[in-house]
Amino acid sequence: MHEKDKAFLKNYSSDKFDKPSVAVDLLIYTLYEDELKILLVKRAESPFKDMLSLPGTFVGIEESLDDAVKRVLKAKAQIKEDIYFEQLYTWGDVNRDPRMRIISVSYMALVSAGTLENFNRDENISAMFYPVKDIIESDIEIAFDHKKIIEYGRERIKNKAEYMPIAFQFLEETFTLPQAQKVYEILLDKKLYKANFRKKISPLVEETEEFTSGAAHRPSRLYRRRYT
Amino acid sequence: MHEKDKAFLKNYSSDKFDKPSVAVDLLIYTLYEDELKILLVKRAESPFKDMLSLPGTFVGIEESLDDAVKRVLKAKAQIKEDIYFEQLYTWGDVNRDPRMRIISVSYMALVSAGTLENFNRDENISAMFYPVKDIIESDIEIAFDHKKIIEYGRERIKNKAEYMPIAFQFLEETFTLPQAQKVYEILLDKKLYKANFRKKISPLVEETEEFTSGAAHRPSRLYRRRYT
DNA sequence: CAAATAGTGTCTTTGAGACACTATCGT
DNA sequence: ACGATAGTGTCTCAAAGACACTATTTG
């Protein structure tokens, strides 16, 4: 390292030049019971003690943002696999945290119900999935500016769903088209026409030779996602 | 502040818990000479001395991200007015800056040529507008990961332009439809059909009674943006 | 009137939306 | 046979794309 760099670094790192802290906060979504749900944790400490908040963590000095996200996924949702997530927005208002200056980089992660099978609900009374609709429409208070972040995420997921592929994240490896349609209907929060939905999604999926069975009606063919 | 908060704060702020630094980096775009241009500054210091980089700054401890952006706009581009800008993405790789850990929140700002009239090119040999196309297509090296950020911004601006209103940021208060069409053609990087363009944009603009004059061809009506 | 750019009318193609019909299971 | 859900054919309508035409200025 150059001498000048050292000088710069020393000056910048000195105490008189305080830095903001950086955290990641996650919108971890899943779909079950025909609802979009999001993982929230009950705060154990002040400020906002006992209120719900997004799972998050501070970003370590030698840790990328993505790694911090993965660490939260593992710690708070018991998800060890690599799952889909994407960055949403960075919130930087000066007083968003009453303790100190914290800049929060928000991410959303989409998890299929299957991936959450080993998410132990009993052990995690502090971390639970709540219907997004309830959070947004009721006036339950949420810690920090996290309600705003949840609303922002809800809009983003709706927009993303319009352009299709993201909904597959909520489905298992194979799925029926009625299942896929249901996912879109929940994400977009509106009814879709069967025939039109199928026309639109057909280039994105490929048939398998499997069918559902047992139900008192015509079986449904299973599809898988087509990667092109 | 609670006792517990103090304890937390003390622990977190202690030296053994080093924090990343936070910066904002700006993609300041303008349009002239029928090209999309971006403001770059020549680095005076190592690392990457004499190379081009995005204008940016560290975020102060009592300064919001937006305020940091405005500070850069003023300092590097002499823009005192409030102009349009939006957050793009936050870059958090551990080694993106060789000196120390810096997380960069990138923004794009769109400036009309008129707003830049008092941008003194002679005084600013270190800050200049460069054609985006040249930067992306040539293999000039750009400091840090800023080339990647520039490419990311170029895609975003293209997507945004598809959904319309953003292009008005590059136009003056009133403008002709051929001028507006030109803006879209540059942003989208493709030719458009006159008749179709006009059909699409007509709900977004309103006529004035003014016309261009002096050119050796039919005068063009001036329009202004319609806010609805 | 010729060159140049502004501005309009209309045909074709594509895709979203709506609806009615047929197919196949369990009971 | 019938209730229930899976799956298909096709009409309508609106927007995107393509092209040809008319309009108004200066020199």
Side-chain angles (χ1 to χ4, degrees), chain B residues 41-77:
Chain B
V41 299
K42 187 170 265 176
R43 285 187 57 79
E45 314 245 322
S46 138
F48 303 109
K49 187 166 188 308
D50 295 328
M51 277 172 64
L52 294 173
S53 72
L54 293 172
T57 189
F58 286 104
V59 177
I61 188 72
E62 294 221 324
E63 179 185 52
S64 71
L65 294 172
D66 282 12
D67 286 344
V69 169
K70 286 176 192 159
R71 191 156 53 76
V72 175
L73 285 172
K74 206 159 152 186
K76 302 283 172 71

Short mmCIF file of all heavy atoms in Angstrom, two decimals, chain B residues 41-77:
data_model
loop_
_atom_site.label_atom_id
_atom_site.label_comp_id
_atom_site.label_asym_id
_atom_site.label_seq_id
_atom_site.Cartn_x
_atom_site.Cartn_y
_atom_site.Cartn_z
N VAL B 41 -14.59 11.64 -13.25
CA VAL B 41 -13.51 12.48 -12.73
C VAL B 41 -12.19 11.72 -12.78
O VAL B 41 -12.15 10.51 -12.61
CB VAL B 41 -13.78 12.93 -11.27
CG1 VAL B 41 -15.06 13.74 -11.19
CG2 VAL B 41 -13.85 11.74 -10.33
N LYS B 42 -11.15 12.48 -13.07
CA LYS B 42 -9.83 11.87 -13.10
C LYS B 42 -9.29 11.82 -11.68
O LYS B 42 -9.26 12.84 -11.00
CB LYS B 42 -8.91 12.68 -14.01
CG LYS B 42 -7.57 12.04 -14.24
CD LYS B 42 -6.78 12.75 -15.33
CE LYS B 42 -6.97 12.09 -16.67
NZ LYS B 42 -6.29 12.81 -17.77
N ARG B 43 -8.88 10.68 -11.25
CA ARG B 43 -8.41 10.53 -9.88
C ARG B 43 -7.05 11.21 -9.69
O ARG B 43 -6.13 10.98 -10.46
CB ARG B 43 -8.31 9.06 -9.50
CG ARG B 43 -9.65 8.42 -9.25
CD ARG B 43 -9.50 7.01 -8.71
NE ARG B 43 -8.72 6.95 -7.49
CZ ARG B 43 -9.19 7.26 -6.27
NH1 ARG B 43 -10.44 7.64 -6.15
NH2 ARG B 43 -8.41 7.20 -5.21
N ALA B 44 -6.96 12.00 -8.64
CA ALA B 44 -5.72 12.73 -8.38
C ALA B 44 -4.76 11.91 -7.53
O ALA B 44 -3.56 12.18 -7.48
CB ALA B 44 -6.03 14.05 -7.68
N GLU B 45 -5.31 10.92 -6.86
CA GLU B 45 -4.49 10.17 -5.89
C GLU B 45 -4.52 8.68 -6.20
O GLU B 45 -5.41 8.18 -6.86
CB GLU B 45 -5.11 10.36 -4.49
CG GLU B 45 -5.49 11.78 -4.16
CD GLU B 45 -4.68 12.34 -3.02
OE1 GLU B 45 -4.39 11.59 -2.08
OE2 GLU B 45 -4.29 13.52 -3.09
N SER B 46 -3.54 8.03 -5.63
CA SER B 46 -3.56 6.58 -5.68
C SER B 46 -4.63 6.09 -4.71
O SER B 46 -4.93 6.78 -3.75
CB SER B 46 -2.18 6.06 -5.29
OG SER B 46 -2.28 4.94 -4.43
N PRO B 47 -5.28 4.94 -4.84
CA PRO B 47 -5.04 4.00 -5.92
C PRO B 47 -5.74 4.45 -7.21
O PRO B 47 -6.61 5.29 -7.16
CB PRO B 47 -5.69 2.73 -5.40
CG PRO B 47 -6.80 3.19 -4.53
CD PRO B 47 -6.33 4.48 -3.92
N PHE B 48 -5.36 3.85 -8.31
CA PHE B 48 -5.91 4.18 -9.63
C PHE B 48 -5.65 5.64 -10.00
O PHE B 48 -6.48 6.26 -10.66
CB PHE B 48 -7.42 3.88 -9.68
CG PHE B 48 -7.78 2.46 -9.36
CD1 PHE B 48 -8.43 2.12 -8.17
CD2 PHE B 48 -7.48 1.44 -10.25
CE1 PHE B 48 -8.76 0.81 -7.87
CE2 PHE B 48 -7.82 0.12 -9.96
CZ PHE B 48 -8.47 -0.20 -8.78
N LYS B 49 -4.53 6.17 -9.57
CA LYS B 49 -4.17 7.55 -9.88
C LYS B 49 -4.25 7.80 -11.39
O LYS B 49 -3.84 6.94 -12.18
CB LYS B 49 -2.77 7.85 -9.37
CG LYS B 49 -2.33 9.31 -9.48
CD LYS B 49 -1.08 9.52 -8.63
CE LYS B 49 -0.67 10.98 -8.53
NZ LYS B 49 -0.54 11.71 -9.79
N ASP B 50 -4.83 8.95 -11.77
CA ASP B 50 -4.98 9.37 -13.17
C ASP B 50 -6.00 8.57 -13.96
O ASP B 50 -6.22 8.84 -15.14
CB ASP B 50 -3.63 9.33 -13.91
CG ASP B 50 -2.65 10.34 -13.34
OD1 ASP B 50 -3.11 11.40 -12.86
OD2 ASP B 50 -1.44 10.07 -13.35
N MET B 51 -6.63 7.60 -13.34
CA MET B 51 -7.68 6.89 -14.06
C MET B 51 -9.03 7.58 -13.82
O MET B 51 -9.19 8.36 -12.89
CB MET B 51 -7.76 5.43 -13.59
CG MET B 51 -6.74 4.54 -14.29
SD MET B 51 -6.67 2.89 -13.58
CE MET B 51 -8.31 2.32 -13.97
N LEU B 52 -9.98 7.27 -14.70
CA LEU B 52 -11.31 7.85 -14.55
C LEU B 52 -12.13 7.06 -13.53
O LEU B 52 -12.00 5.84 -13.44
CB LEU B 52 -12.04 7.86 -15.89
CG LEU B 52 -11.41 8.76 -16.96
CD1 LEU B 52 -12.11 8.56 -18.30
CD2 LEU B 52 -11.49 10.23 -16.54
N SER B 53 -12.96 7.79 -12.80
CA SER B 53 -13.83 7.12 -11.84
C SER B 53 -15.14 7.89 -11.73
O SER B 53 -15.26 9.01 -12.21
CB SER B 53 -13.16 7.05 -10.47
OG SER B 53 -13.15 8.34 -9.89
N LEU B 54 -16.11 7.29 -11.10
CA LEU B 54 -17.38 7.97 -10.87
C LEU B 54 -17.20 9.00 -9.76
O LEU B 54 -16.48 8.76 -8.80
CB LEU B 54 -18.45 6.96 -10.43
CG LEU B 54 -18.88 5.94 -11.49
CD1 LEU B 54 -19.79 4.90 -10.87
CD2 LEU B 54 -19.58 6.64 -12.64
N PRO B 55 -17.89 10.14 -9.87
CA PRO B 55 -17.87 11.08 -8.76
C PRO B 55 -18.62 10.47 -7.57
O PRO B 55 -19.66 9.85 -7.75
CB PRO B 55 -18.62 12.29 -9.32
CG PRO B 55 -19.42 11.78 -10.46
CD PRO B 55 -18.67 10.62 -11.02
N GLY B 56 -18.05 10.65 -6.40
CA GLY B 56 -18.69 10.09 -5.21
C GLY B 56 -18.11 10.70 -3.96
O GLY B 56 -17.25 11.57 -4.03
N THR B 57 -18.62 10.24 -2.83
CA THR B 57 -18.10 10.74 -1.56
C THR B 57 -18.48 9.78 -0.46
O THR B 57 -19.38 8.95 -0.63
CB THR B 57 -18.68 12.14 -1.23
OG1 THR B 57 -17.99 12.67 -0.10
CG2 THR B 57 -20.17 12.06 -0.91
N PHE B 58 -17.82 9.92 0.67
CA PHE B 58 -18.23 9.15 1.83
C PHE B 58 -19.49 9.77 2.42
O PHE B 58 -19.72 10.98 2.29
CB PHE B 58 -17.13 9.12 2.88
CG PHE B 58 -15.99 8.23 2.50
CD1 PHE B 58 -14.78 8.76 2.03
CD2 PHE B 58 -16.12 6.86 2.57
CE1 PHE B 58 -13.74 7.92 1.65
CE2 PHE B 58 -15.09 6.01 2.20
CZ PHE B 58 -13.88 6.55 1.73
N VAL B 59 -20.30 8.92 3.03
CA VAL B 59 -21.54 9.40 3.63
C VAL B 59 -21.25 9.81 5.07
O VAL B 59 -20.73 9.01 5.85
CB VAL B 59 -22.61 8.29 3.61
CG1 VAL B 59 -23.88 8.76 4.31
CG2 VAL B 59 -22.92 7.89 2.18
N GLY B 60 -21.58 11.05 5.39
CA GLY B 60 -21.32 11.55 6.74
C GLY B 60 -22.20 10.87 7.77
O GLY B 60 -23.27 10.35 7.45
N ILE B 61 -21.75 10.90 9.00
CA ILE B 61 -22.47 10.19 10.06
C ILE B 61 -23.83 10.82 10.35
O ILE B 61 -24.75 10.16 10.80
CB ILE B 61 -21.61 10.14 11.35
CG1 ILE B 61 -22.25 9.25 12.41
CG2 ILE B 61 -21.37 11.54 11.90
CD1 ILE B 61 -22.19 7.78 12.12
N GLU B 62 -23.96 12.08 10.02
CA GLU B 62 -25.26 12.73 10.26
C GLU B 62 -25.87 13.23 8.96
O GLU B 62 -26.52 14.28 8.92
CB GLU B 62 -25.08 13.88 11.24
CG GLU B 62 -24.67 13.41 12.61
CD GLU B 62 -25.40 14.16 13.72
OE1 GLU B 62 -25.63 15.37 13.53
OE2 GLU B 62 -25.76 13.53 14.72
N GLU B 63 -25.67 12.46 7.93
CA GLU B 63 -26.10 12.87 6.60
C GLU B 63 -26.83 11.69 5.96
O GLU B 63 -26.34 10.57 5.95
CB GLU B 63 -24.86 13.22 5.79
CG GLU B 63 -25.09 13.64 4.37
CD GLU B 63 -23.77 13.83 3.63
OE1 GLU B 63 -22.94 12.90 3.66
OE2 GLU B 63 -23.58 14.88 3.02
N SER B 64 -28.03 11.95 5.41
CA SER B 64 -28.75 10.88 4.73
C SER B 64 -28.08 10.58 3.40
O SER B 64 -27.26 11.37 2.92
CB SER B 64 -30.20 11.29 4.49
OG SER B 64 -30.26 12.28 3.50
N LEU B 65 -28.43 9.46 2.81
CA LEU B 65 -27.85 9.10 1.52
C LEU B 65 -28.20 10.17 0.48
O LEU B 65 -27.34 10.60 -0.29
CB LEU B 65 -28.38 7.74 1.08
CG LEU B 65 -27.93 6.54 1.93
CD1 LEU B 65 -28.68 5.28 1.52
CD2 LEU B 65 -26.44 6.32 1.83
N ASP B 66 -29.46 10.59 0.49
CA ASP B 66 -29.89 11.61 -0.47
C ASP B 66 -29.09 12.90 -0.32
O ASP B 66 -28.73 13.55 -1.31
CB ASP B 66 -31.38 11.91 -0.29
CG ASP B 66 -32.25 10.84 -0.92
OD1 ASP B 66 -31.70 9.77 -1.28
OD2 ASP B 66 -33.45 11.07 -1.07
N ASP B 67 -28.81 13.27 0.92
CA ASP B 67 -28.03 14.49 1.13
C ASP B 67 -26.61 14.34 0.61
O ASP B 67 -26.03 15.29 0.06
CB ASP B 67 -28.01 14.86 2.62
CG ASP B 67 -29.35 15.43 3.08
OD1 ASP B 67 -30.15 15.81 2.20
OD2 ASP B 67 -29.58 15.49 4.30
N ALA B 68 -26.05 13.17 0.79
CA ALA B 68 -24.71 12.93 0.26
C ALA B 68 -24.72 13.05 -1.25
O ALA B 68 -23.80 13.63 -1.86
CB ALA B 68 -24.20 11.55 0.70
N VAL B 69 -25.77 12.53 -1.87
CA VAL B 69 -25.89 12.63 -3.32
C VAL B 69 -25.94 14.10 -3.75
O VAL B 69 -25.24 14.52 -4.68
CB VAL B 69 -27.16 11.90 -3.83
CG1 VAL B 69 -27.44 12.23 -5.28
CG2 VAL B 69 -27.01 10.40 -3.64
N LYS B 70 -26.75 14.88 -3.05
CA LYS B 70 -26.88 16.29 -3.41
C LYS B 70 -25.55 17.02 -3.25
O LYS B 70 -25.21 17.91 -4.03
CB LYS B 70 -27.94 16.96 -2.54
CG LYS B 70 -29.36 16.56 -2.95
CD LYS B 70 -30.40 17.15 -2.02
CE LYS B 70 -31.77 16.50 -2.28
NZ LYS B 70 -32.68 16.64 -1.13
N ARG B 71 -24.82 16.63 -2.23
CA ARG B 71 -23.51 17.25 -2.00
C ARG B 71 -22.58 16.97 -3.18
O ARG B 71 -21.87 17.87 -3.65
CB ARG B 71 -22.93 16.69 -0.70
CG ARG B 71 -21.73 17.40 -0.18
CD ARG B 71 -21.56 17.22 1.33
NE ARG B 71 -21.57 15.84 1.79
CZ ARG B 71 -20.53 15.01 1.64
NH1 ARG B 71 -19.42 15.41 1.06
NH2 ARG B 71 -20.61 13.76 2.08
N VAL B 72 -22.60 15.76 -3.68
CA VAL B 72 -21.74 15.42 -4.82
C VAL B 72 -22.18 16.19 -6.07
O VAL B 72 -21.35 16.70 -6.82
CB VAL B 72 -21.75 13.91 -5.11
CG1 VAL B 72 -20.96 13.58 -6.37
CG2 VAL B 72 -21.18 13.15 -3.93
N LEU B 73 -23.50 16.26 -6.27
CA LEU B 73 -24.01 16.98 -7.44
C LEU B 73 -23.52 18.42 -7.45
O LEU B 73 -23.14 18.96 -8.49
CB LEU B 73 -25.55 16.95 -7.44
CG LEU B 73 -26.18 15.62 -7.84
CD1 LEU B 73 -27.68 15.65 -7.63
CD2 LEU B 73 -25.87 15.30 -9.31
N LYS B 74 -23.51 19.01 -6.28
CA LYS B 74 -23.09 20.40 -6.16
C LYS B 74 -21.58 20.52 -6.36
O LYS B 74 -21.10 21.34 -7.15
CB LYS B 74 -23.47 20.89 -4.76
CG LYS B 74 -23.68 22.37 -4.66
CD LYS B 74 -24.54 22.65 -3.43
CE LYS B 74 -24.28 24.01 -2.86
NZ LYS B 74 -25.01 24.20 -1.58
N ALA B 75 -20.84 19.67 -5.69
CA ALA B 75 -19.38 19.78 -5.71
C ALA B 75 -18.77 19.39 -7.05
O ALA B 75 -17.88 20.06 -7.56
CB ALA B 75 -18.78 18.93 -4.60
N LYS B 76 -19.29 18.34 -7.65
CA LYS B 76 -18.63 17.82 -8.83
C LYS B 76 -19.27 18.27 -10.14
O LYS B 76 -18.63 18.25 -11.18
CB LYS B 76 -18.61 16.28 -8.79
CG LYS B 76 -17.93 15.68 -7.56
CD LYS B 76 -16.42 15.74 -7.66
CE LYS B 76 -15.73 15.33 -6.35
NZ LYS B 76 -15.82 13.90 -6.04
N ALA B 77 -20.55 18.65 -10.07
CA ALA B 77 -21.20 19.03 -11.32
C ALA B 77 -21.82 20.42 -11.26
O ALA B 77 -22.52 20.82 -12.18
CB ALA B 77 -22.28 18.00 -11.68
#
